[in-house]
Amino acid sequence: MMTKEDVLAAVKEHGIRFIDLWFTDITGVVKSMTIPTGQLERAIERGTHFDGSSIDGFARVAESDMVLMPDPNTFALLPWERDTEPTARLICAIYTPQGEPFIGCPRGALIRVLRQAEAQGYRFKTGIEMEFFLFKTDAAGNPITSTPTDQASYFDMSTDEAQVIRRKMLIVLEAMGIRVDSAHSEIGYGQHEIDFHYNDALTSADQILTARVALKAVAQRHGLYCTFMPRPSADLPGSGMHTHQSLHNISSDENLFVDAGHEYGLSEIARFFLAGQLCHARAMTAVLSPLVNSYKRLGTSFEAPMYVSWAHINRAALIRVPSMSAGMESHTRLELRSPDPSSNPYLATAVMLQAGLDGIQQGTTLPAPLEETLLTQNRSRLRQVEMLPLSLGEALDALSQSDVILAALGPYISDRYLSAKRQELDEYNRQVTQWEIDRYLPRY
């Protein structure tokens, strides 16, 4: 835990001249305000005012005055700014001028659901596997999606420049206090995965937010373009953000998902939690897979889920129970495979947790797993399994009808999220694509 005094001492020790105050809009885009270090102490004590009326989902003009309140625990140096003007960052909560937490703050929405879990004796932990692409750029710095940065495929050993850049990314993340378990090349040329250390859910969300900025900065300084777009090319596989989850006793930190005597090693709490996520999977999808482009990954890209199902071995399942080797039962967890890295990490984590908690509260019955061997023997079983939404419009409809998932966002965020995403969908539907021109213009 860092205090105001710790932050001020670190600023002095490292010769920091500027502080970037980060926050996100409801879509997960990082926003920032820069202050000189002379204003830092006041910012931590009283906050920094800003106009929220122009930030997507924050406030109307009549209620535009907002306050950024930095969280000292998120203090980190920005390594890519070290050689210019030494800069650090703090992630902020959003408050009203009256000193109340702003109900439109995505980080605040997650904290609210985490407190619900804590009131029931649970600590929520997550471990995230984030995939992304690196592309070469043209003279203007625009990505060239047709030219991969390397020819490495799944777990390939390579001496390509992209592998060197990936190591530099890990060095930057480590310098920012972000622990990484592993990194490797993914199935697509130019595609990579970084697996983040298992952590408290709020810390994990902060780290994903940070990593998306940091990885782009490192790539840019080496003439490359880093993207977290779910499916940047029809010729490439999609990028996911598989999220491992478990509930722990708030006092002892014991993993409450463990039952070594169960067939899948899952406790009753874990089974209820899993059932809750399956029950609300369609409604969660609009938050976990938030772009029009997300649905060009789900169900079509390699091992991206299509059905509302769970399994032990089947990697196409929506939720998988990873195998635990002997002596590692305390690491039992559920792997949710539908999220992609374009999602707002705070809202995504909030809806995952709310769905699981509802399963526990309701004692939701867990359906039978959908393993590949069962599908081989009985293909008709698939016709009985609910599917994830096939489009953003279908996902938004499901979200709008779910009291549980809307409650995770809160009425303020949910109203603005649905409005922003429907507007995005309407803009997409008005486009005339090159595919349409090539197919229809010659024929009609």
Side-chain angles (χ1 to χ4, degrees):
M1 300 292 291
M2 290 192 71
T3 64
K4 177 189 72 174
E5 288 70 26
D6 294 330
V7 171
L8 295 175
V11 164
K12 183 176 181 180
E13 176 186 355
H14 295 282
I16 301 300
R17 296 194 61 187
F18 297 100
I19 306 293
D20 284 350
L21 304 178
W22 288 8
F23 61 104
T24 74
D25 65 14
I26 59 171
T27 65
V29 174
V30 178
K31 305 294 182 178
S32 179
M33 176 186 290
T34 301
I35 61 172
T37 53
Q39 296 296 318
L40 177 58
E41 184 170 8
R42 178 177 177 176
I44 294 176
E45 292 176 349
R46 306 181 193 175
T48 298
H49 288 252
F50 76 104
D51 179 5
S53 62
S54 59
I55 305 298
D56 194 11
F58 264 72
R60 297 181 293 270
V61 174
E63 51 187 20
S64 61
D65 290 333
M66 293 290 155
V67 180
L68 296 174
M69 292 297 299
D71 182 346
N73 289 308
T74 65
F75 177 82
L77 307 180
L78 301 183
W80 57 89
E81 301 284 5
R82 186 177 297 148
D83 297 331
T84 53
E85 298 293 347
T87 303
R89 77 91 209 267
L90 287 162
I91 298 176
C92 298
I94 313 300
Y95 279 72
T96 68
Q98 292 73 39
E100 298 294 328
F102 176 48
I103 57 177
C105 174
R107 193 170 188 262
L110 172 56
I111 291 172
R112 185 175 64 250
V113 182
L114 289 171
R115 286 176 178 165
Q116 290 180 27
E118 290 169 1
Q120 299 173 44
Y122 304 134
R123 174 178 287 120
F124 188 44
K125 294 189 177 184
T126 57
I128 296 174
E129 304 171 357
M130 186 167 69
E131 297 172 347
F132 58 94
F133 277 93
L134 292 176
F135 292 119
K136 294 182 180 179
T137 58
D138 60 20
N142 300 310
I144 306 173
T145 60
S146 60
T147 307
T149 54
D150 60 74
Q151 299 296 315
S153 188
Y154 205 35
F155 284 101
D156 279 358
M157 174 61 195
S158 171
T159 57
D160 288 329
E161 179 192 17
Q163 312 304 311
V164 177
I165 302 304
R166 193 174 69 211
R167 294 189 185 102
K168 291 183 181 295
M169 289 175 166
L170 299 187
I171 291 172
V172 166
L173 293 177
E174 182 181 7
M176 298 187 74
I178 298 175
R179 292 179 61 185
V180 171
D181 285 344
S182 63
H184 59 84
S185 59
E186 258 295 336
I187 191 170
Y189 291 160
Q191 188 180 33
H192 304 265
E193 176 178 306
I194 294 179
D195 299 341
F196 294 83
H197 189 69
Y198 217 69
N199 224 317
D200 287 339
L202 180 61
T203 300
S204 290
D206 284 340
Q207 291 183 347
I208 291 299
L209 185 80
T210 302
R212 292 197 308 210
V213 175
L215 301 190
K216 280 182 172 290
V218 173
Q220 185 179 35
R221 280 152 181 76
H222 289 85
L224 300 177
Y225 192 92
C226 174
T227 181
F228 303 100
M229 183 177 176
R231 191 81 183 271
S233 170
D235 299 324
L236 295 169
S239 290
M241 192 174 73
H242 300 171
T243 302
H244 296 253
Q245 321 157 80
S246 56
L247 289 179
H248 295 247
N249 183 289
I250 198 168
S251 300
S252 66
D253 204 36
E254 173 192 2
N255 186 346
L256 299 175
F257 278 8
V258 180
D259 181 355
H262 184 261
E263 179 183 4
Y264 289 90
L266 297 178
S267 68
E268 183 178 56
I269 287 177
R271 299 195 296 273
F272 285 150
F273 190 95
L274 170 52
Q277 290 198 329
L278 293 175
C279 179
H280 300 293
R282 286 177 52 82
M284 288 197 297
T285 302
V287 179
L288 305 181
S289 304
L291 308 183
V292 169
N293 182 256
S294 298
Y295 300 85
K296 298 178 180 180
R297 166 188 170 253
L298 287 180
T300 59
S301 183
F302 179 69
E303 290 187 346
M306 178 185 298
Y307 295 97
V308 179
S309 63
W310 73 282
H312 179 53
I313 299 172
N314 182 8
R315 289 182 176 271
L318 173 62
I319 302 176
R320 193 174 73 90
V321 182
S323 300
M324 291 293 114
S325 56
M328 298 294 288
E329 292 83 2
S330 63
H331 295 274
T332 296
R333 60 196 185 274
L334 303 175
E335 179 190 14
L336 181 61
R337 298 174 64 83
S338 62
D340 71 52
S342 69
S343 60
N344 184 319
Y346 301 116
L347 299 184
T349 307
V351 299
M352 292 178 208
L353 176 56
Q354 189 83 68
L357 291 177
D358 185 68
I360 295 172
Q361 182 178 357
Q362 302 299 329
T364 306
T365 301
L366 181 65
L370 195 67
E371 299 289 7
E372 290 174 336
T373 52
L374 185 147
L375 294 177
T376 302
Q377 298 166 6
N378 184 10
R379 297 296 297 179
S380 64
R381 168 76 189 278
L382 276 180
R383 292 195 292 269
Q384 304 168 25
V385 180
E386 196 173 31
M387 294 184 67
L388 290 173
L390 298 176
S391 67
L392 179 59
E394 187 180 342
L396 292 172
D397 288 342
L399 172 60
S400 67
Q401 297 166 18
S402 172
D403 291 341
V404 170
I405 302 305
L406 291 175
L409 303 177
Y412 194 100
I413 291 178
S414 59
D415 286 349
R416 284 152 181 78
Y417 188 87
L418 286 166
S419 176
K421 287 299 171 181
R422 291 196 189 282
Q423 181 180 351
E424 180 180 334
L425 181 60
D426 288 344
E427 290 176 5
Y428 172 76
N429 287 334
R430 288 196 294 269
Q431 303 305 308
V432 178
T433 66
Q434 190 61 46
W435 183 91
E436 293 171 274
I437 293 172
D438 293 342
R439 186 174 182 86
Y440 299 134
L441 197 60
R443 296 185 182 187
Y444 303 102

